Amino acid sequence: MQASIKQTAFGHLPDGRAATLTTLTNPNGLVVKITDFGGIITEIHTPDRNGTLADITLGFDTVAPYVKDSPYFGALIGRYGNRLRGGRFTLDGQVVQLPTNNGPNHLHGGELGFHRVLWRAIPFQEGDSVGVTLIYRSPDGEQGYPGTLDVTVVYELTAADELVVAFDAVTDKATPVNLTQHAYFNLAGGGDILGHVLRIDADATTPIDHTLIPTGELAPVAGTAFDFRTPHAIGERIGNDDEQLRHAGGYDHNFVLNKPAPRATTLAARVHEPVSGRVLELFTEEPGVQFYSGNFLDGTLSGKGRTYGFRSGFCLEPQHFPDSPNQSTFPNTILRPGEEYATVSRYKFSVEK
């Protein structure tokens, strides 16, 4: 089987612009579908231990539901992934106020963040790898952010059954940047994700307050429901009497990844679904990963023939830490003119027999 790329129509935006869907297929038959609206991954088809393909990501059949208030299914997130307290930060002595769209806080770049813009999509093939390059210019002041930000995101599906996501950005003014990918996974292809077995290589988390903003601490995971240094089922301890779990209604926390050196690419997380045998491994340069257990899914959304019930998908979002512009001890997220924001993450798909 040869790798292939196909582009098809995916519906129209309210202003009449057309959205396009790019279908990537690798030589082993893995399929990834990506739309230029929001850079959204709409489908990922991988085999189980018997070779049967299933779609392992949550999403919709057309662009229309993504335009509405979907929970970031499969989307590219920016300018700032995760939350900023009060939508406010001080940059070079100036207070910057962003819109608040998550209670009192700013979340995932605002209502019209990168998940709701139309990117320019350029498909490519290099040997057995196929992909699409997405390009967007975020103008100065968009969603309140300073500076014009030029962003390039490359999705590449390789013959090694990896989906590589490479981010690159430059700016003409200092601005916070924290880009990520927000795919929801369900390796069983349906049902809830509580039986999925998860390992995260992190000795600590950044605990949150009741509005889901980090307190600034680094909390050791040892002896808590957040210790995934050895594999545990997602549902094993999700109901524990734990203040952090109560704040988020389950897991929705940034894990501080163990790194031998800054920017080192490491295996951040591994998920195994015992019934199908499917395995997902996340490798990333990023210092953190947000693990979210689908706590806000409630059965009101459906797509691709499935209803998305409570905890029917999980997210592993490689990132810098939430609220970093307001946390002096967290890794820096301010990009300045003359600097380049560049980071790569890889999602590797396999099966355990």
Side-chain angles (χ1 to χ4, degrees):
M1 183 176 182
Q2 290 187 331
S4 66
I5 306 174
K6 180 174 67 173
Q7 288 194 304
T8 53
F10 198 55
H12 287 83
L13 305 182
D15 62 8
R17 288 179 299 168
T20 299
L21 189 70
T22 301
T23 300
L24 310 175
T25 305
N26 81 351
N28 305 318
L30 270 70
V31 176
V32 176
K33 299 185 180 183
I34 298 159
T35 175
D36 52 1
F37 178 74
I40 292 166
I41 298 173
T42 66
E43 300 181 30
I44 301 175
H45 297 256
T46 68
D48 64 10
R49 62 166 57 92
N50 299 314
T52 303
L53 289 171
D55 183 2
I56 62 166
T57 193
L58 280 55
F60 302 115
D61 305 280
T62 66
V63 75
Y66 291 111
V67 175
K68 298 176 183 177
D69 193 21
S70 73
Y72 307 98
F73 282 160
L76 291 179
I77 302 297
R79 289 187 193 187
Y80 200 95
N82 220 305
R83 294 172 175 87
L84 292 167
R85 181 186 297 276
R88 187 183 302 110
F89 56 90
T90 299
L91 179 58
D92 296 337
Q94 299 294 315
V95 176
V96 179
Q97 179 65 59
L98 308 178
T100 54
N101 61 318
N102 184 245
N105 303 316
H106 178 87
L107 175 66
H108 289 336
E111 289 286 353
L112 299 177
F114 290 175
H115 63 294
R116 282 198 174 135
V117 303
L118 192 65
W119 297 68
R120 182 158 64 96
I122 306 169
F124 67 87
Q125 181 164 359
E126 296 177 357
D128 287 334
S129 291
V130 287
V132 60
T133 299
L134 299 174
I135 299 170
Y136 179 66
R137 168 167 282 187
S138 176
D140 186 12
E142 185 174 51
Q143 291 295 284
Y145 286 93
T148 298
L149 190 74
D150 286 300
V151 187
T152 301
V153 181
V154 178
Y155 287 112
E156 182 178 5
L157 179 61
T158 75
D161 296 343
E162 291 185 335
L163 179 63
V164 182
V165 186
F167 294 94
D168 191 274
V170 293
T171 185
D172 63 359
K173 293 182 186 176
T175 189
V177 180
N178 187 27
L179 308 179
T180 191
Q181 218 299 324
H182 207 297
Y184 284 68
F185 295 100
N186 183 318
L187 302 184
D192 65 45
I193 47 83
L194 298 179
H196 288 54
V197 178
L198 170 66
R199 181 167 60 84
I200 302 177
D201 186 18
D203 292 337
T205 63
T206 52
I208 53 176
D209 65 17
H210 69 284
T211 72
L212 309 187
I213 290 288
T215 63
E217 306 165 79
L218 300 185
V221 299
T224 75
F226 294 83
D227 191 349
F228 287 96
R229 293 174 298 177
T230 56
H232 289 271
I234 291 173
E236 180 181 336
R237 302 165 298 180
I238 202 169
N240 282 13
D241 183 14
D242 181 288
E243 181 182 58
Q244 286 297 301
L245 292 172
R246 289 196 299 273
H247 282 334
Y251 297 104
D252 192 3
H253 294 77
N254 173 63
F255 285 72
V256 180
L257 296 174
N258 298 327
K259 294 282 181 177
R263 298 292 305 270
T265 297
T266 56
L267 175 59
R270 182 183 191 272
V271 189
H272 171 231
E273 201 287 303
V275 177
S276 67
R278 290 188 183 91
V279 174
L280 167 64
E281 293 173 304
L282 169 63
F283 298 82
T284 187
E285 298 177 38
E286 289 295 288
V289 64
Q290 185 84 4
F291 168 46
Y292 171 54
S293 54
N295 313 314
F296 299 112
L297 299 174
D298 60 6
T300 58
L301 296 174
S302 59
K304 302 185 294 186
R306 291 152 58 180
T307 297
Y308 301 126
F310 186 49
R311 294 175 177 159
S312 60
F314 68 89
C315 303
L316 291 168
E317 306 156 56
Q319 61 177 11
H320 273 55
F321 301 170
D323 201 39
S324 289
N326 296 314
Q327 305 280 355
S328 61
T329 61
F330 285 4
N332 174 58
T333 55
I334 302 302
L335 181 68
R336 297 185 178 277
E339 298 175 343
E340 180 183 14
Y341 176 99
T343 184
V344 178
S345 296
R346 306 190 334 262
Y347 301 82
K348 183 171 179 60
F349 306 102
S350 61
V351 291
E352 201 171 275
K353 294 298 185 180

